Amino acid sequence: MPRHILKTLGVLFLAANGFWLTACGSDSDPSTDTPASPQTEPAPAAEADPKADDLAAKVERMAALDRAYGGLFSPGGDRILYTSSEPGLPQLFLSSLDGSAATQITEVTDQIRGVSWSPDGETLALSLAPGGGLNTQIYLRPLEGGDMQRITEGGKTNNWLGEWSDDGRYLAYSSNKAGDGSMDAYLYDSQNGESRLIAENPGIGTVSDISPDSSRAVIWRMRSRGNTDLYLLDIETGEELLLTPHEGVALSQDAHFIGNSRIIFASNVGREMVALAEVTIDADGRASPMAFIAEREDAELSGIKVNEAHTEAVLNWNAAGRSELAVFDLETSEMRAGPALPAEIAGVNDYSGDGRMLTLTVSGSDEPTNVWTLDRASGQFRQVTETDPRGIDFESLVSPELVRYNAHDGLELSGWLYRPRDVGEPAPYVLDFHGGPEGQERPSFNATIQAMVSQGIGVFAPNVRGSSGFGKTFVNLDNGRLRFNAVKDIKASADYLIEAGIADADRLGIMGGSYGGYMVMAGLTEYPDLFAAGANLFGVVNFKTFFENTEPWMAAISTVEYGDPETEADLLRELSPIHRVDQVKAPTIVLHGANDTNVPVVEAEQVVDNLEERGVPVKYVLFSDEGHGWQKTENRVTSTVEIVRWFDRYLNDG
């Protein structure tokens, strides 16, 4: 099966395999921004402030830490291709297996969102995002350098990079170039340089995998957020067969051909937790009923990687937010636990051609993101890339504890508690809400959190109802009118900190990005006396303007999650914080990317305009060269410094 594909960290749209779509948004680290037009509260006196200078210097070093991720083996297995933020904007590097002799091989000015390496090793397919927007374009470039050839239409079209076929002739991708609000599936033929539409997708869809003989493909489709299916497609005739029939909502994703007649994938059809399933295809093209072949009651399957021999798969399990690997024998159907990981979170990127090694992206709460390899025989991990510490003592970073508490209706919630060192309790704390809404707070490296804690401000990152990783029921508990209960979880999270004596009730803040930004504004409007400060990163505040201005495909899949603007306009109005923004009392910093077409900048402007008119302290940081989340190092640094300085001012200084 095709294996040489890499998706960048924090991409705001779905990966080719269709795992959690983060929209409204991105679960990218909210630690970036480059101010284009800061509209601020009255500026303080311009005289030197040694404390502020010291804070900025410390936070800048934290936010500027490099990130390296991905990791694809060359066909010969002697080199690794990965992405690194070291140059200031993510670029591709090629290194030996131990990370030595690393060479930067791209100098593109647009953000790299993904790369797929042709099976013969000669060509790279790159997904580039102009100005950080959703209008990603796909280019082909010789590995050894040379001119890049764009194979998509350019302009405002959205294009999602897929995989090469095993023979290297076809490259799969999805595009909305038809202009009907859908993301359709295409194959680019490298022999004639032409693209062919192979599947029209109501809503959105991608090619999850192509059979070894290139006669079939598995198409992943999203009916609505939280409800997906897999279809077997005959590439020549266009005939489709539904592989995952179900009632109600269910997820099926990350499909892999095992030979030409067996398909394994992740699914929760008829069950709570996502597990490993399979179907087989007979000689007449009929599919067997799906059967589950590997499962865990305490974890959800979050990733699958198959070796080239199709004899085993590495399964990545999400156990309460931490990654745990297992090896599944595709011939005997036996699953055995993998080695303990070097940090809390790992993504498996690639098998070497001989199946003896794996590449992984590894990150932890106190472990910056880097590329590692795993020797399959010995079970030994080896770090390929190493983050420049920039004078930061990694031993001083804080690891969180997982805590559980109850919502207003008795539902159990959980979250990651980052306690500042050497600070007495109750202490100032900030609630940090993830995006999605189907995202999940996990203990990966987050520069903003670590920078905040270094300044004596604790952070609590809750997983309220609607978060993924806790089963089908939990992730759907915030759909439509149920979202009012999710907003009540904001207060339950704050109450837990206060009643446990952890947080000072007078020094409580709230922050979040994308859907997390929505939760910020919901918290500030519903509970105006609860928070002393807020930070809203590219969040939705008005569902009417969101549906009117977001990408059409995003609007189409979001009606079940939030409400249908055609039939539930009153509900969407009730759920929109903008209609209660006159209740906001807390000083609020708003950060947004000018090129964001997921949550367009009009969402930020509505908040800023209202708070300015009413004299509520507000600062607006707009990044002219970013979209939904920040990729450029200078912007990540600016964002982190601005956010930490904001909370330090209003929670530490009062």
Side-chain angles (χ1 to χ4, degrees), residues 460-532:
F460 183 46
N463 281 306
V464 298
R465 70 191 73 204
S467 303
S468 62
F470 305 96
K472 183 193 302 184
T473 298
F474 193 85
V475 77
N476 287 291
L477 284 179
D478 66 345
N479 290 355
R481 187 164 291 278
L482 296 177
R483 193 159 313 282
F484 293 112
N485 288 328
V487 172
K488 292 179 181 178
D489 289 346
I490 298 172
K491 187 174 187 302
S493 301
D495 288 346
Y496 162 74
L497 294 178
I498 295 168
E499 292 169 5
I502 297 170
D504 183 338
D506 295 324
R507 295 189 293 166
L508 200 60
I510 183 171
M511 71 177 180
S514 192
Y515 178 75
Y518 167 82
M519 292 291 275
V520 168
M521 297 313 301
L524 295 177
T525 55
E526 291 294 329
Y527 310 108
D529 296 316
L530 186 57
F531 298 105

Side-chain angles (χ1 to χ4, degrees), residues 2 4 27 37 47 101 213 215 257 274 373 406 509 513 521 534 547 561 617:
H4 297 288
D27 268 336
S37 62
E47 57 193 53
D213 65 4
S215 67
F257 276 99
V274 177
T373 59
N406 290 331
M521 297 313 301
F547 276 104
E561 177 72 44

